[in-house]
Structures are given as C-alpha cells and as structure tokens.
Amino acid sequence: PRRAEPLSRPERLESAFLTTVKSPLPGRDNAILVTYSADGAIKPHVQGYVRALVGAGKSVILVVASDFASVHVDPTLLALCSGVLIRQNMGFDFAAWVHVLRNFHYLQASDQLILANDSVIGPVSGAFERMMEPLGASYADVIGLTENPDYSGHIQSFIIAFNSKALESDAFQYFCGGVVNLAHKDAVIFDYELTLRNRMRANGLRAEVLFENKSGRNDPIFQWRELLDSGFPFIKAEVEKNADASVRTEIETKLRKLAFDVSLLP
C-alpha cells in the first residue's frame, strides 16, 4: 500500500537527519545493520555482529539510529565497517534501511544485500558461519532466518537477505518507494514486515526461511532454546530483557557453552 493523501513532513524519510561518519565504500556483497543508541553509545554486542558479517565477506554499513547527532564509535568498529552513518531515530528499521538505499544507489546493484538490526544478541561463533553458507548459496531471491505464523505468515525482519534478482525487481523498488517514517512500531510491522514476502512472491520472486517454524508460534521468543540447539546463532534481545533471574542464568549458561562472551549481554 501507498499513502493516497500527501505525506506530512515528519513522514518523509529525508526529514530525518542522516550524518556520515565514514563514507560507505561499494562492495559486491553488502549489509546494512541498524542499531539503536539511546545515549550516544553503541551496544557492546554490535561490534561482534559486524565482525562476523565482515568475516562472511560482507561490506557492512552501520546505521546508528539516535537523537544524538554525535555518537561515539570505537576506532576498531569504525575500521571494521565499510561505512558508518547516524540517522535520526524516526520510522524504525525499514525507514532507516530505505533511507540509506536512496542515498547510496550502488547498494541495489549488490550480488546480495542483507538488511539487519540489533534486536538479536549474537552471533554465536561457528553457528553463524554455518548459517551463512546456505544464505549465500540459496537459489531464493529473498531469504530470512525465521517465519512468524502470526497474522499472515511472514519472514521476521531482524535479518533478511535479498539477491540481485530481487533488488532489481519492480516489486522491490515499489516496496521501497512506499516506505515512510511511521510513528508506531505496530504500523511498521503491519504495513511492511507482514506484507513483504507476499508482495515479493506475488511478483514471481522466490522466498524462503532457513529455520523452519515447527511450533506454530513465534519461535525466537517461545522456542529460543530449541533454536539455539538447532544451530540458530542468535537470541532475541526481547527474551533476555524479559527474563527472570533463573531464565537469565539459563541463557548465560547456554551461551557460554557456545563460546559467546556473556559480558556483551545488555
């Protein structure tokens, strides 16, 4: 869907400031990783995520969503990234991803483009590398990690990969052309996350997920133990945030066994 009435000024993507800390350099395989900063600092697990993406051959553009025009970026993190941008915290992840795509058109000529956010903690070393192999070799045009069957079945948007056919398609261009700064997270979910896969499939593109949903529920929330055991390299930040003391201890124990540095947990 697109808005029939004129957009208000805050709804326009370009109404959010976009500050360049490190000008992005083009690559063939790229990733745009959005992280939220409430206080001008970057969450500690983000550097490990960037390092894992770079190790998988991705040129990473880090987008810091913040109301601070100046954010401290660790020199090591800055060196790892092919580009670092600060975007005013408006419109959530879809708005940030598309704003960057409009400003850096070369990204739509990628062999593969990953759109990701920091709503997951990880990745777990080893499991991430094993996951990236089928992600890179898939014949699908749009690849996600998990599917949420709630409402209409949809690919969950914490990480989605688009191959060149999808990026060049009219369906992708039209989808991006309709993205605006929505004020409420639920609106973003209903307008963009829930419709993305069906809109791509309706235009002849192939879409798949790597971790099949077997429970009929939101697996990253309710089946996080089983997902970790099956090779899923992340845990949703929401799970950790809402955990009581006993569940948090269980999370830390599982992550330690998987050689993840639990000091990086929020």
Side-chain angles (χ1 to χ4, degrees), residues 69-103:
S70 178
V71 172
H72 174 69
V73 183
D74 180 86
T76 302
L77 178 59
L78 188 67
L80 282 169
C81 295
S82 70
V84 177
L85 308 168
I86 303 169
R87 185 181 189 271
Q88 189 175 358
N89 185 35
M90 298 173 64
F92 302 92
D93 297 336
F94 277 93
W97 289 324
V98 174
H99 196 170
V100 172
L101 287 171
R102 288 185 187 177
N103 279 44

Side-chain angles (χ1 to χ4, degrees), residues 243-250:
D244 59 23
S246 63
V247 174
R248 186 180 176 90
T249 298
E250 183 184 3

Side-chain angles (χ1 to χ4, degrees), residues 34-39 41-43 63-67 89 118:
V34 175
T35 181
Y36 171 64
S37 173
D39 55 4
I42 294 176
K43 298 169 189 173
V63 183
V64 185
S66 178
D67 291 322
N89 185 35
D118 69 349

Side-chain angles (χ1 to χ4, degrees), residues 235-249:
I235 185 166
K236 283 287 286 184
E238 181 181 343
V239 171
E240 192 275 339
K241 178 181 178 181
N242 295 330
D244 59 23
S246 63
V247 174
R248 186 180 176 90
T249 298

Side-chain angles (χ1 to χ4, degrees), residues 11 17 31-32 52 67 70 82 100 106 141 157 176 221 236 254:
E11 288 177 313
F17 66 71
I32 306 174
D67 291 322
S70 178
S82 70
V100 172
Y106 72 80
D141 306 303
S157 63
C176 290
I221 301 298
K236 283 287 286 184
K254 276 189 168 290

Side-chain angles (χ1 to χ4, degrees), residues 20-249:
T20 300
V21 177
K22 179 179 180 181
S23 185
L25 296 174
R28 295 307 309 166
D29 288 338
N30 298 287
I32 306 174
L33 174 61
V34 175
T35 181
Y36 171 64
S37 173
D39 55 4
I42 294 176
K43 298 169 189 173
H45 71 277
V46 169
Q47 183 165 313
Y49 197 173
V50 171
R51 189 182 299 278
L53 286 166
V54 171
K58 308 300 178 185
S59 297
V60 181
I61 299 173
L62 181 66
V63 183
V64 185
S66 178
D67 291 322
F68 292 85
S70 178
V71 172
H72 174 69
V73 183
D74 180 86
T76 302
L77 178 59
L78 188 67
L80 282 169
C81 295
S82 70
V84 177
L85 308 168
I86 303 169
R87 185 181 189 271
Q88 189 175 358
N89 185 35
M90 298 173 64
F92 302 92
D93 297 336
F94 277 93
W97 289 324
V98 174
H99 196 170
V100 172
L101 287 171
R102 288 185 187 177
N103 279 44
F104 302 95
H105 297 287
Y106 72 80
L107 290 168
Q108 295 188 53
S110 303
D111 290 337
Q112 185 178 77
L113 174 66
I114 290 176
L115 303 181
N117 64 40
D118 69 349
S119 66
V120 287
I121 296 169
V124 174
S125 181
F128 183 79
E129 288 79 3
R130 287 190 293 274
M131 180 199 77
M132 291 300 289
E133 291 179 12
L135 192 75
S138 174
Y139 288 103
D141 306 303
V142 183
I143 310 121
L145 299 192
T146 55
E147 175 186 18
N148 188 345
D150 291 345
Y151 303 104
S152 63
H154 61 279
I155 291 175
Q156 295 181 281
S157 63
F158 52 83
I159 177 168
I160 308 177
F162 297 85
N163 289 337
S164 57
K165 183 179 177 181
L167 294 171
E168 295 167 0
S169 70
D170 291 341
F172 185 79
Q173 302 302 322
Y174 194 82
F175 179 90
C176 290
V179 173
V180 299
N181 289 328
L182 293 173
H184 302 288
K185 184 177 180 181
D186 284 348
V188 173
I189 293 170
F190 277 90
D191 282 8
Y192 304 144
E193 186 175 43
L194 264 65
T195 67
L196 175 63
R197 181 173 67 177
N198 288 341
R199 291 173 68 177
M200 298 299 108
R201 281 179 169 174
N203 285 271
L205 298 172
R206 295 165 296 179
E208 69 171 17
V209 294
L210 299 185
F211 294 85
E212 181 184 355
N213 184 288
K214 297 179 180 179
S215 71
R217 308 173 76 194
N218 185 348
D219 281 353
I221 301 298
F222 298 108
Q223 302 289 120
W224 62 268
R225 300 170 181 86
E226 291 81 359
L227 272 178
L228 278 176
D229 291 342
S230 70
F232 187 69
F234 299 105
I235 185 166
K236 283 287 286 184
E238 181 181 343
V239 171
E240 192 275 339
K241 178 181 178 181
N242 295 330
D244 59 23
S246 63
V247 174
R248 186 180 176 90
T249 298

